[in-house]
Amino acid sequence: MNDQLCIASPNLAAYSETFIKDQIAQLQPGTLIYEGNYPIHSKEEDWQLPFPFNIHVVRGITKKLAPGLFHRIYSRSLADYLKRRKVTTLLANYGPVGVSVADACVMANVKLVVHFHGFDAYEYNTLAKFREAYRHMFTCAHRIVAVSTEMKEELIKLGAAENKIAFIPYGINLERFTTTDPSVNGPLLINIGRFTPKKAPDLLIRAFKIVHDALPDARLKMIGGGELLEDSKALATSLGLSDVITFAGVQSSEEIIRALHQSRIYVQHSLRPPSGDSEGTPVSILEACACGLPVVSTRHAGIRDAVLEQVSGLLVDEGDVEGMAKDIITLLKDPALCKQMGAAARARISENYHFPVQAAKLAALLEV
């Protein structure tokens, strides 16, 4: 247990944020606060805002009508709590959370490390709301974590000092995500993640239509939920693919590993949608690589760090449906190449994304 470490996160239960759960499990913080961009609950249940701001309705009204007043009350209360808990370092997950806790960290003489993950560095509405606040937060922060080299460049553009930014990608537990031999698996493609615009499930389905027309034995399994799930099912039906695409819903980590071990290729068409949202580094791609699967995806965000083109996978430009289909067909027709690229994918993860190594880098950065 790192008694002097506090981790702040918007929530603790999102199934798609396994990286935060792994982070908490590895770092073992003595203090954990959560719930929204202004975390107001402690896991230890030994802190709440002073009355009447501990009442949800009052908090909401105050944040809306007098945000400056709420921020000052919040910062003073959190600073007192951090002092009482003898916290020396606070790790804030996501930029907006870093903004909320920055002044409290200054008051409590606590080192602030802000971990960016994706949308918080890219999405236009988020940047419009927090751009100025980010600049203040960057000056308060001891260090800033980026999960891809592209994200590091974005944070510099937003005003972060380059010497404060550490590139620490997510790590994968190689003891859990063991290897398969894709060359002996059937022609099954697998995709894992939320059905959101930045993952463009519609473009993946359209690419698969081309694949299935060329190779009728091909199948696609899509694991996850999200706001575009029903639209994706309707698209599959309209394209005559409802019998060859399985929408498996949200699944446990164990079920995901079994599915990866049954597949030949991992596929994902990530892109930057009109909202400006972006991946950081998709954990699902790292997990697939760890299992020894070749990847067909896009030249997007941290995917370009994780997947070596023509070595551990094939990448196309964002929006290139025909190019993606062509690459998938190439691999489906060549099981030996799948095996070769899958072995290179596993090696890439072992060398650059092994969880204990990345966790140790983060712990060293936090000085805990």
Side-chain angles (χ1 to χ4, degrees):
M1 181 74 71
N2 289 311
D3 291 333
Q4 294 180 313
L5 174 65
C6 173
I7 292 182
S9 296
N11 63 70
L12 299 181
Y15 80 88
S16 60
E17 295 182 346
T18 55
F19 46 86
I20 292 180
K21 295 177 183 177
D22 290 342
Q23 176 195 93
I24 292 170
Q26 182 71 19
L27 294 174
Q28 291 289 300
T31 304
L32 186 60
I33 59 174
Y34 62 98
E35 193 72 26
N37 287 339
Y38 273 99
I40 44 85
H41 293 304
S42 71
K43 191 174 182 181
E44 295 72 28
E45 298 184 351
D46 59 349
W47 171 60
Q48 61 180 7
L49 295 182
F51 180 83
F53 301 101
N54 59 338
I55 300 172
H56 177 75
V57 174
V58 175
R59 283 199 306 275
I61 292 173
T62 308
K63 279 194 284 187
K64 183 176 181 179
L65 299 181
L69 173 63
F70 178 82
H71 182 76
R72 289 191 295 274
I73 292 168
Y74 176 87
S75 297
R76 174 50 60 192
S77 178
L78 178 57
D80 290 343
Y81 177 63
L82 296 175
K83 290 177 183 177
R84 176 158 52 87
R85 295 284 301 183
K86 295 182 171 57
V87 170
T88 61
T89 303
L90 189 150
L91 173 60
N93 280 301
Y94 296 101
V97 174
V99 167
S100 298
V101 303
D103 288 333
C105 288
V106 172
M107 294 177 187
N109 195 28
V110 167
K111 286 184 296 186
L112 172 63
V113 177
V114 182
H115 199 312
F116 281 77
H117 293 282
F119 81 90
D120 47 350
Y122 296 98
E123 188 185 39
Y124 298 137
N125 286 344
T126 298
L127 296 183
K129 182 176 180 180
F130 290 101
R131 188 181 300 271
E132 291 302 319
Y134 273 2
R135 291 194 179 100
H136 171 67
M137 180 263 287
F138 289 149
T139 65
C140 297
H142 175 66
R143 298 299 297 272
I144 300 156
V145 178
V147 299
S148 71
T149 53
E150 182 186 85
M151 180 183 287
K152 179 178 178 179
E153 295 305 314
E154 287 296 319
L155 293 174
I156 291 171
K157 292 176 185 176
L158 290 171
E162 183 174 2
N163 62 1
K164 283 190 175 184
I165 305 173
F167 166 45
I168 304 178
Y170 301 128
I172 300 300
N173 186 334
L174 296 179
E175 294 180 359
R176 293 187 63 239
F177 288 87
T178 55
T179 55
T180 186
D181 181 352
S183 67
V184 302
N185 293 338
L188 176 63
L189 313 176
I190 188 167
N191 169 261
I192 303 165
R194 285 184 54 77
F195 284 72
T196 61
K198 69 181 175 184
K199 295 185 185 294
D202 58 322
L203 298 190
L204 174 57
I205 291 169
R206 293 186 186 280
F208 180 68
K209 168 64 174 171
I210 299 172
V211 172
H212 188 260
D213 286 346
L215 301 172
D217 289 339
R219 298 293 184 270
L220 170 62
K221 186 170 190 175
M222 303 183 76
I223 296 175
E227 64 265 34
L228 296 182
L229 176 57
E230 294 307 317
D231 288 347
S232 298
K233 290 180 178 179
L235 176 61
T237 299
S238 71
L239 294 176
L241 300 173
S242 56
D243 291 337
V244 291
I245 298 180
T246 300
F247 294 93
V250 177
Q251 299 203 337
S252 69
S253 180
E254 291 73 20
E255 291 169 324
I256 286 172
I257 292 170
R258 282 197 295 271
L260 288 168
H261 282 185
Q262 296 166 355
S263 304
R264 187 178 296 177
I265 306 168
Y266 184 87
V267 291
Q268 184 162 316
H269 200 106
S270 295
L271 50 69
R272 197 165 187 185
S275 68
D277 196 6
S278 174
E279 306 272 16
T281 297
V283 173
S284 57
I285 285 182
L286 302 181
E287 292 173 345
C289 290
C291 288
L293 294 186
V295 171
V296 178
S297 190
T298 51
R299 298 181 184 98
H300 173 86
I303 297 171
R304 291 179 292 183
D305 296 320
V307 179
L308 296 179
E309 288 199 53
Q310 305 297 322
V311 177
S312 64
L314 302 175
L315 302 181
V316 300
D317 290 338
E318 296 178 17
D320 185 358
V321 170
E322 292 183 357
M324 181 175 218
K326 179 181 177 182
D327 285 347
I328 292 171
I329 292 169
T330 295
L331 286 178
L332 284 177
K333 287 183 173 180
D334 194 341
L337 181 59
C338 288
K339 183 174 183 176
Q340 176 185 320
M341 285 190 164
R346 171 74 177 193
R348 178 70 172 167
I349 299 302
S350 180
E351 293 167 7
N352 297 278
Y353 296 87
H354 192 194
F355 182 72
V357 175
Q358 301 309 318
K361 290 180 182 178
L362 185 56
L365 189 75
L366 297 169
E367 299 176 358
V368 295

